[in-house]
Amino acid sequence: MTAMTGGTDVKADAGRIKQEILDFIHTYGCEQAPDESFDALARDVFTYQYTYDLPYRRYCAAKRITPASLRDWREIPPMPVDGFKHLTLSTIPTDQCEAVFMTSGTTHGGAMRGRNFHPDLEVWDESMIVPFRHFIMPDRDRIRIAVISPAWDMNQNSSLSRYLTKAVEQCGSEGSGIYFDEHGLKFDGIIDFLNRAVADQEPVMLMGVSSSYLYLLDYLHEHDLTFALAADSRLFDTGGFKSTKRDITEDQMLDELEQTLGVPRHHCVNMYGMTELSSQIYDQNILSWYTDGTSNYLKANPSWVRTVFLDPNTLTPVKDGETGVIAHYDLANWNSCIGILTEDLGHRTPDGFLLQGRAKGAEARGCSIAVDEVISANRG
């Protein structure tokens, strides 16, 4: 792709890139794509972003990585997540974007929120629903869903809110609903939903952030309520205990949920997502349960996302099994940066990868240096 600056050129190139990504998603789904196919499209997306995303181009140029010098997709510089707070990363003018998803976090200097701009949501929606059906719904097309976190109509700057709403639209059966409003959880509606599920013994799914489950558990304990949901019911959570005061681990929460709702651990699944990404990553336990009766709780990607683990100091790849800072390369993230350097730690195994928490102290050194490099490359 040649560097072009006209509005017509960027729109034409954006349309071509989008279609290539949609074709890739529809061709490979959640199966492993050939390395050469991923590499070819990753290079194309990088060239497009290098051409039209000026802050990202400055960062890559400072690291002496250009489309001409690139030998492999792994050399594409991943943008630190804090870069989305300090820079406007978009190939399309932001006033022409249909949506902007924003993080909920703040910095010490005030309310600086990470932003991920989307000219339209066609690729985002497809990158959401294909893995959702694969990892969460391998045994059925639809299920009765209760969402216990804010939906799209409450927060159109939240990628999770859109995610939850799309899940209900695409995979929810009759009786599905949103049980969260401006006042918080709609406990009466949730209890009615659970009572109906027990009465007709129809499998259901609850979906929400971990903190919503904690508030629900507190309410159920306070009112001495337990339920025995039907076999094949499932609980879907997105992690995150930031806003809660209750000291509890994920395993403890899942034990309480099993005792209170009757859903076994192998039907509780966690989704890993980020505002800065356009795709999500999943536990494999529901898929593995319906595939061969096992429970594989390690994370897995769809075909258009590759995850690498980097030495915390040098940001060079570590060997499989060694702990590293996580970087994701998401082809669906076509408008901002294909590579995202997270602040999370993990390691790869032959059956998936394991998250090990947030990088802190010395472990976060490489991330901090990368942020400094981003700001320095764009200063002035």
Side-chain angles (χ1 to χ4, degrees):
M1 181 189 296
T2 27
M4 302 182 237
T5 56
T8 302
D9 296 327
V10 67
K11 288 181 180 179
D13 286 342
R16 180 180 62 80
I17 286 291
K18 277 180 51 185
Q19 191 57 54
E20 288 180 359
I21 295 167
L22 288 169
D23 290 346
F24 192 97
I25 291 172
H26 297 151
T27 298
Y28 298 110
C30 293
E31 303 302 321
Q32 183 73 8
D35 289 343
E36 58 271 20
S37 298
F38 184 89
D39 183 69
L41 185 48
R43 287 166 174 265
D44 205 7
V45 175
F46 174 66
T47 300
Y48 167 78
Q49 292 175 346
Y50 190 91
T51 302
Y52 296 114
D53 187 348
L54 183 57
Y56 184 51
R57 182 167 78 217
R58 290 185 184 127
Y59 175 50
C60 294
K63 297 183 76 65
R64 301 183 183 278
I65 298 294
T66 70
S69 71
L70 192 69
R71 296 170 298 178
D72 181 89
W73 66 266
R74 296 170 186 83
E75 295 180 349
I76 296 173
M79 174 61 66
V81 289
D82 273 359
F84 286 80
K85 297 177 181 178
H86 296 283
L87 304 173
T88 298
L89 299 163
S90 182
T91 64
I92 302 294
T94 57
D95 60 358
Q96 298 176 25
C97 290
E98 177 183 337
V100 54
F101 294 143
M102 304 176 71
T103 61
S104 57
T106 60
T107 67
H108 297 299
M112 294 181 64
R113 301 172 66 182
R115 301 165 300 157
N116 198 2
F117 294 92
H118 297 270
D120 62 64
L121 292 165
E122 184 179 7
V123 171
W124 193 96
D125 285 345
E126 200 66 13
S127 71
M128 173 264 156
I129 197 61
V130 170
F132 182 83
R133 289 192 175 117
H134 180 79
F135 289 105
I136 309 301
M137 307 279 289
D139 59 321
R140 61 190 62 234
D141 293 327
R142 290 185 175 269
I143 192 170
R144 195 186 305 164
I145 297 173
V147 171
I148 58 172
S149 291
W152 181 240
D153 61 342
M154 282 190 65
N155 187 357
Q156 296 196 3
N157 292 128
S158 166
S159 57
L160 176 59
S161 293
R162 183 169 183 85
Y163 181 103
L164 296 171
T165 298
K166 296 301 290 186
V168 173
E169 289 177 357
Q170 297 292 318
C171 297
S173 60
E174 183 180 354
S176 299
I178 311 293
Y179 297 96
F180 198 103
D181 60 19
E182 64 273 14
H183 304 295
L185 285 169
K186 299 166 69 173
F187 291 112
D188 289 346
I190 297 172
I191 301 308
D192 288 344
F193 178 94
L194 295 172
N195 278 327
R196 178 186 172 191
V198 171
D200 61 22
Q201 280 299 285
E202 187 73 22
V204 297
M205 175 163 61
L206 272 63
M207 299 183 68
V209 298
S210 297
S211 56
S212 290
Y213 282 105
L214 295 182
Y215 288 122
L216 177 60
L217 282 170
D218 287 344
Y219 182 90
L220 297 179
H221 293 334
E222 181 182 345
H223 292 81
D224 197 24
L225 293 171
T226 59
F227 301 86
L229 296 178
D232 296 321
S233 293
R234 58 209 71 185
L235 303 179
F236 173 106
D237 87 275
T238 64
F241 295 86
K242 298 176 186 176
S243 61
T244 64
K245 297 180 180 178
R246 187 170 170 189
D247 185 17
I248 187 173
T249 66
E250 181 182 9
D251 286 339
Q252 290 170 332
M253 181 187 77
L254 293 173
D255 286 344
E256 286 193 36
L257 286 169
E258 181 170 1
Q259 296 164 15
T260 306
L261 299 177
V263 179
R265 175 68 181 90
H266 54 71
H267 268 57
C268 299
V269 65
N270 175 263
M271 181 271 282
Y272 171 93
M274 301 173 64
T275 299
E276 298 85 358
L277 289 175
S278 295
S279 302
Q280 298 80 35
I281 297 166
Y282 296 86
D283 289 345
Q284 299 174 79
N285 54 293
I286 288 181
L287 175 64
S288 65
W289 179 263
Y290 288 105
T291 301
D292 57 19
T294 61
S295 296
N296 178 359
Y297 294 102
L298 296 168
K299 292 283 191 294
N301 298 337
S303 63
W304 57 93
V305 180
R306 298 283 174 100
T307 298
V308 297
F309 301 85
L310 307 174
D311 182 277
N313 292 310
T314 65
L315 296 185
T316 55
V318 299
K319 296 178 180 178
D320 287 356
E322 294 182 3
T323 296
V325 176
I326 296 174
H328 302 293
Y329 288 83
D330 181 6
L331 297 178
N333 224 37
W334 66 270
N335 184 53
S336 54
C337 303
I338 181 177
I340 306 296
L341 178 62
T342 76
E343 297 172 343
D344 300 319
L345 296 172
H347 70 267
R348 185 184 306 283
T349 80
D351 299 314
F353 70 86
L354 181 69
L355 291 173
Q356 295 174 247
R358 189 62 60 93
K360 298 178 182 178
E363 292 174 333
R365 181 173 178 270
C367 300
S368 298
I369 291 173
V371 173
D372 292 341
E373 291 174 342
V374 166
I375 295 173
S376 177
N378 282 276
R379 185 171 289 138

